[in-house]
Amino acid sequence: MSERPSYESAAARIEEIIKRLDSGEAGLRETLDLVREGRELVELCAAELEAVGRGLEELRLDELVARLEAGGRAPDRPG
Amino acid sequence: MSAARPIRPTGLEGSALKGPFPVGEYAAALRGRLRGLARVQVFGEVSNLGLRPKAVYFELCDLNGALPCSMWRSDYDRLGVELANGVQVVLGGGCDYYPGSATSSPSFTFRATALRVAGEGELLAQIERLRRKLDAEGLFAPQKALPRPALPRSLGIVTGERGKARDDVLAGLARRGWEGRLVWAFAPVQDRRAAPMIARALQDLVVAGDVEAIVVARGGGSVMDLMAFSDETLCRTVALLAVPVIASVGHHTDRTLIDDVAAVSCSTPTHAAETAVRVHCGEARTALTADARRLATCGRRAVVERARRLEDLTRAPAEHVARQRTWLHQMVRELRAAGRRGVQGRRSASATQLLVLSRRASAATADHRRAVAALPSVAGDLRRKRDAARTRSARDLERLRLALDAHDPERALERGYALVEDAAGELVVSAAAARSAGRVSVRFHDDRVTARIEAEG
């Protein structure tokens, strides 16, 4: 399974896709493939932006360390 | 505060100490005692320099300690030197104490009255030596090779808990519209404990914080204040960390070693926060919405355009036949029109030619009639000319005949002349020729006789 692309690589790929589509040189099959890929990347970027847009979550390292030492684990944010 | 002498309270119960004394009296006594200490020379490195209108303030420090110093501005200006942070100096002076007042804080100072610049500071030189060493070991490169996410979900911040840098980092993140997961690792950022605790915080952030980038932030300060960030162990820790570190230590003029080993060095904590989150989230959301709309438009347009094209292609054969039929009809109409135009043209040309020919025939008939009418007259002229010519010819012939007759030899023979010819019939025209011939024939007009030539004698 391929690695999940980073936000910036996804954004850059979206730019490439739109540039290719705007050129009008892509055939129907390529256009549909590019649009599908672009939509997936847009969803990925939207998810990344959503993850950093739910309100600032401030934690203290000493509390995290104490929690880990107590056998817990760092809380994960959904997304 | 009242200027009246304060009422002395009861002292500590059971205490053997003297007093209690009013603090102002004690402070004044302390100043007197400190001023009484021996005046000495001290040397060290200038840091935290501040030039004020009345005095110059700075700290004199070395690796083992520091002393708050001051110098009256008039004394400083008289020396004609320019102090700077990090400069090694020798001071002459003694201890002094400002007891403070109701409106100003008390302070201790080493009041310098003489000063000599002794070269670049050892602290700065030590930092420079360490910088070269770390660089030679290639420790400036690893952090810079780490991938740095433009939009991290979680960030670690190492800073002082009560420092202004904390607010600046938050302001920078707010400016980016970033509201992710922020793990604060508070640590002392100035004293001897600072470097190891910062190094420990960095390692813990990587292990426990699950952060994607770390900002190390501290406001400005003297060389001594910032020494912790040039600590060798801390710098080696940063260099080998698997998470990119963005350093923002001191002001833009300060350069600590952590600035060199970190992935990025920024001039302010705000800038560091913006560097940690390179994407402006609000603008990115707007752009992403636009991108999604453009993608949808592109996809829809691609399908619709091709569907229209297919539809056009489906209609094309019938349209082509119809176009050809229309074209053929047009051609037929044009051919007919051209034919009509051709016949009309030829008819018109024939009529013109007929007219020309009839005019020429009329002219020829008129000429002929004129010629017929003139024929008798011409015949008379011709006859007259013929008769005249005949007369002229007869006259000329007679004249010629007479001329010929005048030259005819027969006519000369008739007048008595004779022709002498030899045996061959050639004329003999001299006596010598006659003698030579011997016999000659003499022809008269009526006949010929033969004669023999004899020599005279």
Side-chain angles (χ1 to χ4, degrees), chain A residues 18-76:
Chain A
I18 288 176
K19 197 177 290 183
R20 174 69 179 158
L21 291 174
D22 283 347
S23 74
E25 293 171 355
L28 180 59
R29 173 53 53 198
E30 185 187 357
T31 298
L32 295 177
D33 288 345
L34 288 174
V35 169
R36 187 180 305 115
E37 183 188 355
R39 281 179 176 155
E40 288 172 4
L41 292 172
V42 165
E43 283 177 15
L44 185 147
C45 288
E48 292 297 316
L49 286 169
E50 170 67 18
V52 296
R54 297 173 190 157
L56 195 63
E57 182 191 13
E58 294 187 74
L59 303 169
R60 290 183 62 112
L61 179 64
D62 47 6
E63 292 173 358
L64 284 176
V65 172
R67 206 178 301 170
L68 279 175
E69 287 174 350
R73 60 184 295 273
D76 287 330

Side-chain angles (χ1 to χ4, degrees), chain B residues 243-272:
Chain B
V243 173
V245 172
I246 297 150
S248 168
V249 175
H251 298 304
H252 65 281
T253 52
D254 302 317
R255 185 79 185 174
T256 61
L257 288 185
I258 199 172
D259 291 315
D260 293 321
V261 295
V264 188
S265 168
C266 297
S267 57
T268 64
T270 309
H271 182 209

Side-chain angles (χ1 to χ4, degrees), chain B residues 45-49 57-61 66-69 222 224-225:
Chain B
E45 201 167 303
V46 174
S47 72
N48 221 11
L49 176 67
Y57 298 95
F58 54 92
E59 288 177 15
L60 195 67
C61 55
L67 195 62
C69 301
S222 67
M224 279 298 289
D225 291 342

